[in-house]
Amino acid sequence: MKQCPACNRTYTDDAQLFCLEDGAQLRAVGGGGAAQSSFDPNATLAYTPARETNPPPQNFYPQAPTGPPAAAPPSWSPPSYTPSATTARKSNKPWIIGAIAAVVVLGIGIVVLLAVIGRDSASNTNKNSNRAIVSNANAPRGNANNANKATIPSTSNLLKDDFSAENWPTGEGAYGSFYEDGEYHMKGKPKLYVFMFPLNRANYETKDATVKVTTRSVDGKSPEYGYGLIVHGKADQKGTLDGYGFLIYTGATPKYEIVRFNGGEPTTIVPWAASGVIRGGTNSNQIEVRTDGSQLSMYVNGQFLKSITDTANFNDGYVGLYTSETNEVAFDDMEVDRETSDAKR
């Protein structure tokens, strides 16, 4: 008799070697010493009736294995699942829209920040970068016909120009400057400043004189780099400017600046400084400059602002009008009084 050591099932056929239930190798059992074998090679073999089971395994494990053996990797991989286009759009659309909106908002913020930084830097430090291209629309022309149009009341020491007589350049050659309602209108160009001299300069000399002019911003938007008076001004046939500019800015924070032009190149003498006496918006301001030898003093609306000393030997010349960028400005009621300089008051 044989017995399965795993399930203890017994078999009477001594010729059977393996258990039909679990495939374990059978062992002989019986009383007393060595197991008696009933195997008779000449006898007819008798088998237990066949049972519905898988063929016995070829390998024997004395104990149950701790886990299945690692399977060999397949020779192909099933294709990964890819959601349909409709499903992907539905699930990702809110995220994509949110990301695009965030990028747009961030881009707008950076542009606005750079624009504010660039504007403040230009206004406060006055690096003169936007005045690098210089233009003189009124180089000496010697046009006697235009000069004779002026009927300006004057004496040997006093000139009054209310801009009722056209003694200043107009038209395309003057960058569109024109007369309107008894005022002289000017505007510049992007990254360009424009200055004008009168056609007949005989009585516009500024040596030891008091010069006044009333000016305003037409639409309330001040030219970025100011507008105002040129004194001791001169320009050659090429249009390069020498002289001093006394400028105002009538934007949100009204301020003034004094610049020296030498060969057309601007040099800041007094950087932009805020002043409560300068009126903003479309309000008119009277700019006044008093020259006495090398001393030049600036007043606005009758209030003293600043004095400078001429170190470039620009101690004579003519009155000029100045503006920058594209904002329109108007000038009126000019006086050149060589009888009452600052030192004589």
Side-chain angles (χ1 to χ4, degrees):
M1 180 179 294
K2 292 188 176 181
Q3 186 177 31
C4 175
C7 63
N8 294 322
R9 182 182 298 275
T10 59
Y11 296 92
T12 57
D13 186 357
D14 291 336
Q16 190 168 341
L17 300 178
F18 299 96
C19 178
L20 299 176
E21 287 295 321
D22 50 32
Q25 187 175 4
L26 301 178
R27 62 185 179 185
V29 294
Q36 295 180 0
S37 175
S38 60
F39 175 70
D40 182 1
N42 296 320
T44 301
L45 296 177
Y47 292 93
T48 303
R51 304 177 62 182
E52 294 182 3
T53 182
N54 294 327
Q58 297 180 358
N59 297 321
F60 166 69
Y61 297 93
Q63 296 180 354
T66 57
S75 60
W76 62 278
S77 297
S80 59
Y81 171 72
T82 301
S84 65
T86 302
T87 303
R89 282 197 297 268
K90 287 183 179 180
S91 60
N92 292 335
K93 186 175 183 180
W95 181 87
I96 294 174
I97 294 175
I100 293 174
V103 171
V104 170
V105 171
L106 180 60
I108 293 174
I110 292 174
V111 170
V112 171
L113 178 60
L114 292 176
V116 171
I117 293 174
R119 179 183 177 88
D120 291 344
S121 175
S123 298
N124 295 329
T125 63
N126 186 35
K127 295 181 179 178
N128 296 317
S129 59
N130 280 7
R131 289 194 291 212
I133 302 176
V134 182
S135 175
N136 174 25
N138 186 29
R141 293 191 176 104
N143 190 329
N145 292 330
N146 287 334
N148 289 334
K149 290 181 181 179
T151 55
I152 301 169
S154 64
T155 66
S156 59
N157 295 314
L158 176 64
L159 174 141
K160 291 185 178 181
D161 186 354
D162 62 1
F163 294 93
S164 60
E166 296 189 8
N167 191 41
W168 296 79
T170 58
E172 293 183 3
Y175 291 91
S177 298
F178 62 95
Y179 281 86
E180 184 176 87
D181 297 330
E183 293 180 313
Y184 182 64
H185 291 247
M186 292 175 58
K187 61 172 68 173
K189 298 290 183 180
K191 295 186 179 181
L192 178 109
Y193 71 78
V194 173
F195 61 93
M196 299 291 173
F197 287 126
L199 299 174
N200 181 6
R201 306 182 189 181
N203 295 308
Y204 291 84
E205 294 177 312
T206 58
K207 183 176 182 179
D208 296 332
T210 296
V211 182
K212 300 178 183 179
V213 74
T214 299
T215 185
R216 67 183 179 91
S217 168
V218 173
D219 61 2
K221 298 179 180 179
S222 177
E224 186 70 20
Y225 291 89
Y227 58 107
L229 268 178
I230 299 291
V231 299
H232 295 346
K234 295 180 181 178
D236 59 20
Q237 293 290 343
K238 295 181 180 179
T240 57
L241 173 65
D242 289 340
Y244 287 93
F246 294 83
L247 314 177
I248 61 173
Y249 171 82
T250 52
T253 304
K255 46 195 171 183
Y256 70 96
E257 179 191 43
I258 302 176
V259 178
R260 182 176 66 232
F261 295 91
N262 191 347
E265 293 296 328
T267 299
T268 301
I269 305 301
V270 177
W272 288 111
S275 174
V277 305
I278 301 174
R279 306 182 186 112
T282 59
N283 295 299
S284 296
N285 289 277
Q286 185 190 65
I287 303 175
E288 178 181 347
V289 180
R290 304 177 186 177
T291 69
D292 182 22
S294 62
Q295 192 79 8
L296 297 91
S297 301
M298 181 178 183
Y299 296 75
V300 173
N301 299 321
Q303 300 295 313
F304 171 75
L305 293 182
K306 195 75 174 178
S307 288
I308 64 169
T309 300
D310 171 32
T311 58
N313 198 30
F314 294 160
N315 55 13
D316 63 359
Y318 302 94
V319 174
L321 299 176
Y322 172 102
T323 190
S324 61
E325 293 301 313
T326 60
N327 306 101
E328 185 178 329
V329 295
F331 296 90
D332 199 4
D333 297 328
M334 177 177 286
E335 291 186 10
V336 180
D337 188 353
R338 289 181 297 278
E339 190 175 52
T340 55
S341 66
D342 186 46
K344 295 177 183 177
R345 298 192 175 199

